[in-house]
Structure formats: structure tokens, C-alpha cells
Amino acid sequence: MTSELHLYDTAARAVDRFVPITPGKVGIYLCGATVQAPPHIGHIRSGVNFDILRRWLTATGYEVTFIRNVTDIDDKILHKAVHEKTPWWAVAMKYERAFTSAYSSLNVLPPTYEPRATGHITQMVSLMETLIANGSAYAPGNGDVYLEVRKLKRYLTLSNQKLDDLQPAEDADMTYKKDPRDFALWKAAKPGDPSWPTPWGAGRPGWHLECSAMAFAYLGESFDIHGGGLDLIFPHHENEIAQSEAAGYGFAKRWMHNAWVTTSGEKMSKSLGNSLQIHEILKKGVRGIELRWYLGSAHYRSMLEFSFESLEESSVNFRRIEAFLKRAAEATGKHAELKFSQAFADAMNDDLAVPAALASISEAVRLGNTAITEGDSKAVATYASEVRGALSILGCDPSDEAFASAGSASNEALDGLIQLALDQRNAARARKDFAAADAIRDQILHLGILIEDTPQGTRWSIQ
RNA sequence: GGUCGGAUGGCCGAGAGGCGAGGCUCAGGACUGCAAAUCCUGCCACACGGGUUCAAAUCCCGUUCCGACCUCCA
């Protein structure tokens, strides 16, 4: 009897059983990047966390439609374009590529579809027409369009705030707004800004509208899960809910938010100057698979306090698991199949309890290592399958071609050379000339190759 | 002012009334010519003060400290 998937819902502030709208299918909308800077590890943690959710849903038989948007127009992109003397669309494309590359380095699967805001102006205009027609929004005549928050049946249900408790924005322009908390669906074009024609004048989208319009376009009026970082709860997600519900849509049935990556206890962000970009870490020689293992290892709702020390510690742990899979393959003569244990499934079904899932992997590795020592190849195959299957769901299967290393031809030559040295060394060992044998081992170790003697013979690996 | 998190062993990091998650480090042992790897054993922690209970890291009350959001944010 398998356990059933339970997930946290930010709106309910509780974990409860996941029941899809349509049996067997799941629609997920994840707020992706506003492409105005290269991704830091916090952005990619979000990608990894939701990638794990998606992989788990897929592994347990759901057909997942995963939409992750790109917001390719906003104030910062326009500012940056002016600053860099580059067209705004070139700025957006540059950083979109940086995000794509970072996701790919960490084996985050491409979404089913990745809609860009600027490609969905028609859908946004249509949504605004609906909102104006039913009295939820107004166009004061200057080209802006605002949502009238006082008219909403409910508002701020995710962040559990009261409208009157909000600190009104100091810079709220009351020339056209009916209430300082009304937010812009659409912004009138300023000279030099890109713009699109609408019934209310030329302009560009406000920040929140694109997600409501695109979620509707690809997932319909109502869908299963909406995800994003904790800091999007207010205002972004509140305003998405406001727009979509005012338009009469059921919108997201469940809200999931990942916590931050912190340094010195503080949230990583560009404005604090403490952000760490993915490519900076990879440049230090950290493997993508190890960085992913680290970012995915904490529970998605817990803060992850980043340090290179704990990253290295996590990598040591991963290499032990990886080494087990390698030795298991040698012992059984084949790659392990992809399976997972009940303990792993129970952990994942409990709101993606990855730390508990990791404990189940460690247990399987320990038992599998013992089975290798005992020569029980059937047991080795069983544990290796469980480990590899679990790793695969976490996106960290070492045999995944996403992490494949190149150069198998040169490896053959290397293999021959090392075999030559090993033959020499084993000859020395046979005549009990251990000084010579150890000298060979030490010299090879200096070249970065580790030699290990096992009851099954001598094996080598690149450090 | 409003809303919301957090504090766990040398370190990372789970758990949420009873049975010591797991990992890393370190120490000892087994195995080994020696290493390495592996396995075994050990290192009995929950910010502080009260309370509830047969039993509290977990529930309640209070305190301290850290952090996040309140219209830029993953």
C-alpha cells in the first residue's frame, strides 16, 4: 500500500492531501525569472525545488503540464537597457539565456512551455477588457489601467493581511488612482519606452498581469499548483489572485512557496550585494550535480544557509553515494534500474520531505555496501536500483546524460596507460616489493588518480 | 504599526508529546603488506524562564536573539 501525496498549501497554511482537478493530470504554474540580471543560486534553488516536485509527480504516474514563465519586460530591464545602451529586448534575451544555461547545468528539466510576457499582450488586453467590463478595473484616461482593490470580494488571503494595515506606498501617485493601494495592470507609455496599442492607449504591462494572462492561456481558469519564491507572496501572488478572481477564474487551487538561500542569516539578493551567481560557483570546479544535490538537500520550505564549507560537506556525502553506484555496477556488471523504496516514497509524499528521503538513500547505500562485501549481487542490484531511482527523482542520477562527461576516446587511452602502471605495481606487490608498489601508487595519486586494492582486484578512479 | 518564519550536538540538517533521522568531521575497532574504500562502535543535542502531562526538543504562557514581507525580489 503506497502512501498518498500530501503537500503544503500557503493559503491554508497546512499540509493536506493533494487531489488533482483532473484525475491523473497536474497543471503547475511556476513564476520564473524576470530577466534583468544573471541568476543567483536562490533563483535556481526555486527551479530545483519545483523540478523535484515535477519529477516526483511524473514518477508517480501523473501527466504534468509545467508552465514556467519569463517576464521579459519590466522597469529594471528598461533601466538596464538605458544604462547599457542596448535595446531592452537584447537585455532580456541575454539574461534569459543565462537562466536557461544555469537551469541546464543543474539538470532542471525544461518546462512544458515557457511563455514570455511580451508574447501575450493580446491575452493581457483581453483580460483587462473583462476586468473593466465587470467593474473591477478602471482606465482613468491617461493610458494606465488599475485594479480597484476596494471592490474585491477578497484580497490578501495568501499573506493574511488587512488592506488597512498595509503601509501605503510613499510614492503612490494619486493623480489617477482611486486608492493608493490600487495597482497598475497596464502602464501608459513614456517617451522612449516600448509600447503596445490598447483601447486605452499605447503602453506596456504592469508586473502582475502577465502571470494571470499566461496561466489562463495554458492552464485554464483553474489549475492545480502555483509556485514561486516566498517573497512573491505579496504583492505578486496576491495581485495575481486579485486579477484572476475578479475575472471570474478559480485560479490556483494550491500555493507552494520555496524558502530562500541565505548567507549570514540574510536573504540572498542583489540589493544586499550578497548574491552568488551559479556560474561563479561552477567556475570554482564544483560539479553541477553536486551543486544541485546541495540546493535540493534541505526541505524546500526551510531556509538554506549557504556556505562553501557545507557545499563541500554535501558533495562528500554525494560522492560516497556515487561511488556506491559505480562499485555496484562493477559488481553486478550492469547499470542499476530506476526504482525507489517505500521509505523514499513515504518521505516524498510527506510534502517532499527530501531530508527524510536522503536518510532512506543513506540506509540503502550502507546495506548495499555490505552486500558488495558479502558478494550478494542480487541484493546489490536491489539497493543500487533504489538508490539510482531515488537520485533520478532528485535530478541527481550520475548516469543521467545531462551530466555526462565527454571524452570517452581519451579515456580509453588513459585506461590503457593506467593499466600498464597497475600491472607494474601488482608485479612489485607479488614479489613483496612494497616500496616500489607504494611509489607507483603515490606518483599516480599526484596525477589525480586514486588506486584502491580490493578483494576483486585493483580499481582506479579520477579524483 | 501589521503579517510571517526561525534558534536542534564540533558543523550541516530533519523531526513536532514517549522509542537517539541522516550526513559531515573527529576518536576507537574490524578488514588490509600499507593505504584507500567499506563496515562496526563512540561523541546522548534541541535559545532562556515558567507551566500542562505518567512522559515535552515537540503543547501552553512569558522572555531574549535572528530573519523576511508590507507594492523591486526566487
Side-chain angles (χ1 to χ4, degrees):
Chain A
M1 181 66 192
T2 43
S3 53
E4 290 170 326
L5 177 61
H6 287 64
L7 294 170
Y8 187 78
D9 180 11
T10 306
R13 294 185 192 281
V15 173
D16 61 7
R17 190 169 154 223
F18 174 71
V19 181
I21 295 170
T22 307
K25 297 188 177 184
V26 183
I28 302 177
Y29 187 94
L30 174 64
C31 281
T34 298
V35 284
Q36 43 100 355
H40 60 59
I41 54 176
H43 294 120
I44 303 303
R45 180 195 185 186
S46 179
V48 168
N49 285 155
F50 285 97
D51 190 51
I52 291 172
L53 168 66
R54 176 192 187 176
R55 286 170 186 261
W56 180 237
L57 287 167
T58 303
T60 49
Y62 288 103
E63 185 185 313
V64 181
T65 303
F66 190 91
I67 305 297
R68 188 185 63 214
N69 70 291
V70 173
T71 296
D72 59 347
I73 178 120
D74 91 317
D75 292 350
K76 284 191 178 173
I77 294 171
L78 299 179
H79 289 154
K80 201 144 202 165
V82 171
H83 186 72
E84 295 186 2
K85 298 185 170 61
T86 313
W88 64 272
W89 37 265
V91 171
M93 194 74 242
K94 178 168 88 176
Y95 295 122
E96 183 182 326
R97 284 204 192 90
F99 268 84
T100 301
S101 159
Y103 285 131
S104 163
S105 308
L106 296 211
N107 197 20
V108 174
L109 295 171
T112 314
Y113 191 61
E114 189 164 23
R116 295 191 187 112
T118 55
H120 297 77
I121 302 295
T122 309
Q123 289 86 343
M124 294 186 212
V125 170
S126 163
L127 178 55
M128 285 190 286
E129 280 172 336
T130 302
L131 294 171
I132 288 175
N134 74 18
S136 307
Y138 56 98
N142 68 332
D144 287 347
V145 180
Y146 295 109
L147 196 86
E148 191 167 359
V149 295
R150 292 269 173 205
K151 284 202 176 164
L152 294 166
K153 287 196 205 79
R154 43 181 223 139
Y155 188 44
L156 309 177
T157 50
L158 261 191
S159 57
N160 193 28
Q161 297 176 101
K162 292 189 180 73
L163 192 55
D164 294 322
D165 287 343
L166 291 185
Q167 288 179 351
E170 288 169 16
D171 58 350
D173 180 359
M174 290 304 293
T175 318
Y176 299 102
K177 283 186 179 179
K178 294 185 183 175
D179 184 287
R181 298 167 191 87
D182 289 351
F183 61 91
L185 300 173
W186 192 259
K187 298 181 175 185
K190 293 191 200 106
D193 277 359
S195 68
W196 289 262
T198 75
W200 316 284
R204 62 182 175 89
W207 176 28
H208 317 293
L209 191 63
E210 82 281 19
C211 285
S212 288
M214 296 191 292
F216 175 63
Y218 299 103
L219 297 171
E221 291 193 3
S222 187
F223 56 94
D224 297 294
I225 299 170
H226 191 131
L230 214 47
D231 43 4
L232 293 181
I233 292 177
F234 184 89
H236 187 53
H237 289 163
E238 293 287 15
N239 290 350
E240 282 185 49
I241 293 171
Q243 294 157 355
S244 296
E245 289 190 351
Y249 305 154
F251 208 50
K253 279 192 70 186
R254 177 181 301 271
W255 289 85
M256 294 177 69
H257 293 94
N258 64 279
W260 297 294
V261 176
T262 58
T263 51
S264 308
E266 286 184 317
K267 173 187 166 188
M268 188 170 286
S269 78
K270 281 191 64 197
S271 51
L272 288 170
N274 62 351
S275 62
L276 219 84
Q277 291 173 16
I278 295 290
H279 82 266
E280 288 179 299
I281 298 177
L282 297 178
K283 237 172 28 191
K284 290 176 190 283
V286 176
R287 295 188 299 158
I289 197 170
E290 290 175 356
L291 182 55
R292 176 173 175 129
W293 178 257
Y294 176 59
L295 291 177
S297 65
H299 188 93
Y300 74 93
R301 286 193 282 121
S302 296
M303 304 290 172
L304 177 64
E305 169 68 17
F306 179 87
S307 73
F308 281 101
E309 289 74 23
S310 52
L311 169 59
E312 174 57 21
E313 178 184 299
S314 158
S315 298
V316 168
N317 172 225
F318 181 74
R319 283 174 216 142
R320 176 170 170 271
I321 297 165
E322 195 177 23
F324 162 66
L325 282 181
K326 191 176 173 196
R327 292 189 302 121
E330 287 166 4
T332 60
K334 59 181 186 223
H335 267 311
E337 298 171 59
L338 293 171
K339 293 180 177 169
F340 51 81
S341 68
Q342 188 61 48
F344 180 82
D346 289 345
M348 295 302 283
N349 277 337
D350 180 14
D351 192 31
L352 307 178
V354 172
L358 260 37
S360 80
I361 294 173
S362 291
E363 171 83 355
V365 168
R366 189 173 57 78
L367 295 171
N369 276 325
T370 300
I372 289 174
T373 306
E374 290 169 351
D376 182 351
S377 61
K378 196 177 161 194
V380 172
T382 301
Y383 290 122
S385 296
E386 286 181 9
V387 170
R388 190 173 163 230
L391 254 48
S392 167
I393 285 157
L394 299 175
C396 292
D397 175 10
S399 336
D400 192 319
E401 60 186 27
F403 296 117
S405 55
S408 59
S410 62
N411 279 352
E412 261 179 49
L414 183 64
D415 190 46
L417 279 170
I418 292 171
Q419 205 52 55
L420 203 65
L422 291 187
D423 289 346
Q424 297 279 312
R425 177 168 172 272
N426 284 331
R429 291 177 73 208
R431 61 175 187 269
K432 302 219 184 287
D433 183 357
F434 296 119
D438 291 352
I440 292 171
R441 184 172 62 196
D442 290 347
Q443 284 170 34
I444 287 190
L445 184 61
H446 276 296
L447 300 172
I449 289 158
L450 177 71
I451 290 177
E452 297 164 279
D453 298 317
T454 76
Q456 288 77 39
T458 302
R459 61 193 297 276
W460 65 272
S461 54
I462 296 175
Q463 287 295 280

